[in-house]
Amino acid sequence: MEYPSFTQKHKSLMRKYLTNDIFKKLKTKITKNGFTIEQAINSGVKNPDSNIGIYAGDKESYKIFSIVFDKVIEEYHDFDKDRKHLSNLNSEDLNTPYLEELDNYIVSTRIRVGRNFDNMPLGPAISKEQRDEIQSIVSNTLSSFEGSLKGKYFSLEGMKEEDRLSLIDDHFLFKAGDSYLEEAGLNRDWPSGRGIFHNNEKTFLVWVNEEDHLRIISMQKGGNIKEVFQRLIVAIQNLEEKIEFSYDEHLGYITSCPTNLGTAMRASVHIKLPKLSLNMKLLEEIANKHYLQIRGINGEHSNSENGIFDISNKRRLGVTEVQCVQDMYDGVIELIKCEKDL
Ligand code: ADP
Ligand code: ARG
């Protein structure tokens, strides 16, 4: 196995930290699930525009290939390696008052977490049979949910193309053919084993076998962030009663991409900022100050449309779930103030 031929265009954190010497140390290592450094970095090698460029095939990958993962994790999450990850799911600790005025700017709010089965390889190293087994366990578990979380599971294989496309257009379902996931091995056997659960109102959703085994999602129109958080926490707790998820004291919830470690939480709003959209430097300055990420409105790697942005927390590890949401709320309040001043 040769050191990858990186070009000027490769700008990922993986490329920054995977020196030839480190590569030599890692190239003979292999996890119990047969995952290698070559597989871990393939996405970042084949997609030069990757920002991160590395995925884990299992929890063990984070240990065996730690000389490169630790550096990537430290830089992305601003996380000091010796700190322990802490969780806080208590919505009473949120300071996110709902003001009606928020709805003039916030189109919708969505909070998701990633979760992976404790006893299975992560998506990049999973087999078709294991993926199918996860789908079956998750859809069975969800079928016992009652009340406002009651809903139905739809497998991607059985879905009409028009239904799939309309779920994507309405921001409920993941897209197909992402080149980063493709080269990470996450699209193998597509669409087998993938699907989506949702309640009637589509305010509680679960993605199965996309980038992580589960993405648990709570979303609704407008800016009532606490309500979205509370629904999510109930759903997580119900699932955790039935399924054991992969967790580590230092890394928090284990996910296939190191950006999602820790809380595995992305709390976002779709927010109208037409004036700020003409001054991206200022928008980015405020976002950076509050540890926020700016995305377009059709998901990651999409563009903003009509001055509407997806604004979410960037840090997920070494901060609690409450802090993730607080980062987003505080930043959004400052963005709205600035939009008004313009
Ligand atoms: P993820 O959050 O799961 O990492 P994406 O950035 O790809 O991944 O977003 C997934 C989908 O969720 C996309 O369709 C995106 O438009 C939608 N989405 C994200 N945030 C919001 C929001 N606040 N309101 C409505 N839809 C959202
Ligand atoms: N692998 C892509 C990159 O390096 C995405 C990383 C973060 N996003 C994600 N969906 N995991 O840019």
Side-chain angles (χ1 to χ4, degrees):
M1 201 194 307
E2 296 290 312
Y3 185 67
S5 40
F6 291 122
T7 66
Q8 293 292 333
K9 290 195 179 136
H10 286 86
K11 58 180 180 82
S12 67
L13 293 181
M14 174 277 289
R15 191 256 178 277
K16 177 170 169 188
Y17 292 116
L18 188 79
T19 60
N20 202 348
D21 277 355
I22 290 184
F23 183 76
K24 274 191 203 142
K25 286 191 189 130
L26 296 181
K27 70 178 189 181
T28 52
K29 301 197 172 184
I30 183 160
T31 72
K32 286 191 197 73
N33 294 301
F35 202 70
T36 62
I37 190 69
E38 195 176 17
Q39 287 170 288
I41 64 172
N42 192 56
S43 185
V45 172
K46 300 277 169 60
N47 294 289
D49 63 341
S50 292
N51 293 314
I52 314 299
I54 187 164
Y55 290 83
D58 40 31
K59 188 173 175 179
E60 200 190 343
S61 303
Y62 285 110
K63 299 259 149 30
I64 289 204
F65 310 124
S66 64
I67 20 176
V68 54
F69 270 118
D70 281 352
K71 293 259 174 54
V72 169
I73 290 167
E74 194 176 329
E75 178 160 339
Y76 180 86
H77 294 280
D78 198 6
F79 181 61
D80 169 1
K81 198 172 157 336
D82 301 320
R83 264 165 52 205
K84 239 183 162 181
H85 177 70
L86 291 175
S87 169
N88 181 3
L89 301 174
N90 185 358
S91 65
E92 295 313 310
D93 293 337
L94 279 176
N95 180 16
T96 59
Y98 172 62
L99 316 163
E100 261 174 39
E101 192 209 3
L102 289 178
D103 288 353
N104 297 334
Y105 299 89
I106 300 178
V107 182
S108 52
T109 304
R110 172 182 185 268
I111 312 181
R112 61 83 165 157
V113 294
R115 289 288 184 271
N116 290 278
F117 278 54
D118 191 40
N119 58 349
M120 295 270 190
L122 297 167
I126 205 168
S127 71
K128 182 177 182 312
E129 291 67 33
Q130 289 168 320
R131 202 186 293 109
D132 290 347
E133 190 184 338
I134 287 176
Q135 170 172 246
S136 145
I137 296 173
V138 174
S139 59
N140 277 332
T141 305
L142 288 166
S143 70
S144 69
F145 279 29
E146 292 293 345
S148 61
L149 299 185
K150 189 179 168 66
K152 216 177 144 198
Y153 182 75
F154 303 87
S155 83
L156 225 56
E157 261 181 325
M159 200 181 282
K160 278 198 222 138
E161 187 60 2
E162 60 191 90
D163 293 342
R164 190 178 70 86
L165 295 177
S166 103
L167 281 170
I168 294 173
D169 270 356
D170 295 339
H171 307 290
F172 297 123
L173 180 62
F174 47 89
K175 295 179 255 189
D178 179 287
S179 67
Y180 305 90
L181 298 190
E182 177 68 30
E183 300 298 347
L186 276 155
N187 290 344
R188 288 169 303 124
D189 312 306
W190 184 275
S192 168
R194 280 81 176 184
I196 181 172
F197 171 95
H198 64 76
N199 65 356
N200 264 341
E201 299 77 33
K202 300 201 184 83
T203 53
F204 164 54
L205 308 95
V206 180
W207 292 356
V208 177
N209 288 319
E210 192 239 10
E211 186 175 316
D212 290 302
H213 299 158
L214 282 84
R215 286 284 171 91
I216 309 168
I217 302 161
S218 169
M219 63 197 284
Q220 68 191 42
K221 298 269 176 241
N224 194 332
I225 291 167
K226 192 166 177 177
E227 210 167 274
V228 175
F229 185 80
Q230 283 169 331
R231 182 188 305 112
L232 179 72
I233 299 314
V234 174
I236 295 175
Q237 286 167 344
N238 287 354
L239 280 160
E240 286 186 338
E241 272 174 25
K242 300 277 168 60
I243 302 171
E244 191 166 338
F245 295 123
S246 184
Y247 189 84
D248 175 87
E249 269 202 346
H250 170 65
L251 297 176
Y253 285 98
I254 299 297
T255 52
S256 67
C257 176
T259 62
N260 282 316
L261 290 165
T263 59
M265 176 172 278
R266 193 170 85 87
S268 69
V269 288
H270 277 180
I271 182 168
K272 290 184 252 180
L273 300 170
K275 296 197 179 107
L276 259 175
S277 77
L278 304 174
N279 188 346
M280 285 307 290
K281 199 160 163 269
L282 181 57
L283 178 51
E284 279 163 19
E285 218 169 82
I286 300 173
N288 287 338
K289 176 174 154 201
H290 292 277
Y291 302 97
L292 300 182
Q293 191 174 63
I294 307 168
R295 293 185 179 184
I297 58 154
N298 291 307
E300 197 175 17
H301 310 114
S302 70
N303 294 322
S304 149
E305 284 171 22
N306 309 319
I308 305 178
F309 296 88
D310 171 331
I311 304 286
S312 63
N313 61 297
K314 179 165 182 259
R315 304 185 288 179
R316 314 191 215 287
L317 174 61
V319 286
T320 66
E321 289 81 357
V322 163
Q323 189 63 50
C324 288
V325 176
Q326 197 65 51
D327 280 353
M328 189 271 274
Y329 181 87
D330 294 345
V332 160
I333 294 294
E334 185 167 345
L335 287 169
I336 290 177
K337 183 177 176 301
C338 188
E339 176 74 14
K340 282 206 291 200
D341 290 349
L342 292 170

